[in-house]
Amino acid sequence: MSILITGGAGFIGSHTCVELLQAGYEVVVIDNLSNSHEASLDRVRQITGRDLRFYKADVRDEAMLGRIFTENHIECVIHFAGLKAVGESVRMPLEYYENNLNTTLTLVRAMRAFSVKALVFSSSATVYSSTNAMPLTEDVSRTGDCSNPYGWTKYMQEVMLQDIARADESLSFVLLRYFNPVGAHQSGLIGEDPQGIPNNLMPYISQVAVGRLERLSVFGDDYPTPDGTGVRDYIHVVDLARGHLKAVEYALGHRGCEVFNLGTGRPCSVLEMVRAFSEACGKQIPYVIAPRRPGDLPVVYSNPDKARRMLGFETQKDLKDMCADCWRWQSLNPRGFSE
């Protein structure tokens, strides 16, 4: 049985390839490498001792999708491909709406043409409204009222997929709302390799630790939290990849459309992360306090009970694992995959 992974050479995609291959699935990857490296797939082969099939192409290329579905017996699709930087989406909204919405529409059209019924979609906690109480729960917390075009594209894709599944009872769509993926594979062979200045906390800290960046900016220390810094729900990327394996199993055995949070439900502050990473790398992480960023919330974390109950998914790795694995990746690959 083959699983098609769009954007499979990226951070979460490559770790998911590992979990699927180790579980015995055949894996087919399509990725245009606009924000990823083909070397990550070579590392996946090295970790698993198994091969996968790779197509360098854009998911919006209908002819290529037709070729992929013709050449491979695809049973389920995991859809990661898309632009994903919040700040960039504010500067380039047209590109984000055009790329992210059309990628999903083109993919689902191809799935319909080849009678592929199961889809696991990479969504985001950014679809939740900023006015919700914590923790965020799939069937209670409000969605929409997004604060940036990236979040709106995820919200719109969720609405599209829910409508499509509602109109065709043979389909099985699973929408996974990620919180904050961090860490790396324990081998140190694959990890997060952002282009330019990192947008997220842990890759920024790790690049400070390895000497690529001078210091970390902590945006705000006067929030109503225990240490004044923002609090988030961080999930180890290997746990997140395992969540996709559970989602594939669910999609292949059910019909309809379901939404699941993938997080730990255990919030962590910025300064807690800094201290944990300092312990992992054996050096102090220099940082400065900077003004709050517009739109940042004091606290965001998940209620993961639904995934535990319906997918049988629970996280296994803690903050110490996240930092140790990220540091192993960064220290072994100071320049990421480009070395």
Side-chain angles (χ1 to χ4, degrees), residues 19-83:
E19 296 302 313
L20 289 168
L21 289 168
Q22 289 180 334
Y25 291 98
E26 300 297 322
V27 170
V28 180
V29 171
I30 177 173
D31 198 308
N32 64 9
L33 303 180
S34 64
N35 192 34
S36 58
H37 300 266
E38 188 174 353
S40 69
L41 299 177
D42 293 330
R43 304 279 186 93
V44 167
R45 296 181 179 101
Q46 184 179 344
I47 291 167
T48 63
R50 295 192 60 204
D51 199 9
L52 54 79
R53 181 171 288 187
F54 173 56
Y55 295 83
K56 182 182 177 182
D58 194 293
V59 180
R60 292 170 292 178
D61 185 339
E62 293 192 46
M64 178 57 76
L65 285 181
R67 175 185 162 190
I68 291 171
F69 282 108
T70 299
E71 294 178 354
N72 303 276
H73 180 58
I74 305 297
E75 291 288 334
C76 181
V77 178
I78 303 178
H79 182 30
F80 293 112
L83 301 176

Side-chain angles (χ1 to χ4, degrees), residues 12 15-16 19-20 25 76 78 80 120-121 174-178 235-251 260-263 307-308 310-316:
I12 303 170
H15 287 81
T16 302
E19 296 302 313
L20 289 168
Y25 291 98
C76 181
I78 303 178
F80 293 112
V120 176
F121 174 62
V174 178
L175 316 182
L176 300 179
R177 293 174 182 165
Y178 309 161
I235 180 171
H236 196 295
V237 66
V238 172
D239 278 334
L240 187 64
R242 288 178 47 251
H244 287 78
L245 181 59
K246 292 288 190 181
V248 167
E249 294 168 355
Y250 183 90
F260 298 99
N261 288 336
L262 288 187
R308 182 183 303 114
M310 295 180 63
L311 299 181
F313 170 70
E314 294 187 70
T315 58
Q316 298 176 352

Side-chain angles (χ1 to χ4, degrees), residues 45-288:
R45 296 181 179 101
Q46 184 179 344
I47 291 167
T48 63
R50 295 192 60 204
D51 199 9
L52 54 79
R53 181 171 288 187
F54 173 56
Y55 295 83
K56 182 182 177 182
D58 194 293
V59 180
R60 292 170 292 178
D61 185 339
E62 293 192 46
M64 178 57 76
L65 285 181
R67 175 185 162 190
I68 291 171
F69 282 108
T70 299
E71 294 178 354
N72 303 276
H73 180 58
I74 305 297
E75 291 288 334
C76 181
V77 178
I78 303 178
H79 182 30
F80 293 112
L83 301 176
K84 63 174 187 175
V86 169
E88 183 180 68
S89 77
V90 175
R91 298 191 304 273
M92 302 166 53
L94 176 60
E95 288 77 5
Y96 269 69
Y97 287 116
E98 195 281 329
N99 182 90
N100 291 2
L101 300 186
N102 284 338
T103 296
T104 298
L105 290 169
T106 304
L107 177 64
V108 175
R109 277 198 301 269
M111 290 175 60
R112 182 170 62 183
F114 288 87
S115 298
V116 178
K117 304 294 187 179
L119 172 71
V120 176
F121 174 62
S122 166
S123 192
S124 167
T126 58
V127 303
Y128 286 112
S129 169
S130 62
T131 59
N132 283 301
M134 298 296 142
L136 296 167
T137 304
E138 298 92 336
D139 301 322
V140 175
S141 302
R142 294 177 299 281
T143 57
D145 190 26
C146 304
S147 60
N148 55 77
Y150 166 73
W152 277 116
T153 67
K154 288 298 186 183
Y155 173 78
M156 291 176 183
Q157 287 172 92
E158 282 198 6
V159 171
M160 291 191 310
L161 292 171
Q162 289 166 340
D163 285 344
I164 292 166
R166 193 175 296 114
D168 184 347
E169 294 181 354
S170 71
L171 297 176
S172 180
F173 292 170
V174 178
L175 316 182
L176 300 179
R177 293 174 182 165
Y178 309 161
F179 280 70
N180 297 78
V182 296
H185 192 267
Q186 56 268 26
S187 66
L189 289 171
I190 56 174
E192 189 168 9
D193 186 17
Q195 295 185 2
I197 302 298
N199 292 299
N200 299 323
L201 177 62
M202 184 171 277
Y204 204 110
I205 292 175
S206 68
Q207 290 193 17
V208 171
V210 83
R212 287 177 62 179
L213 297 171
E214 184 177 358
R215 65 175 64 87
L216 171 72
S217 292
V218 175
F219 297 104
D221 65 349
D222 58 350
Y223 286 107
T225 61
D227 62 19
T229 63
V231 167
R232 297 293 182 268
D233 187 343
Y234 297 96
I235 180 171
H236 196 295
V237 66
V238 172
D239 278 334
L240 187 64
R242 288 178 47 251
H244 287 78
L245 181 59
K246 292 288 190 181
V248 167
E249 294 168 355
Y250 183 90
L252 292 172
H254 293 78
R255 292 292 176 264
C257 186
E258 283 289 350
V259 180
F260 298 99
N261 288 336
L262 288 187
T264 65
R266 298 185 296 273
C268 169
S269 77
V270 173
L271 290 184
E272 284 181 286
M273 178 69 78
V274 170
R275 287 192 294 270
F277 204 97
S278 295
E279 291 181 11
C281 70
K283 61 183 79 174
Q284 292 300 309
I285 304 298
Y287 66 87
V288 295

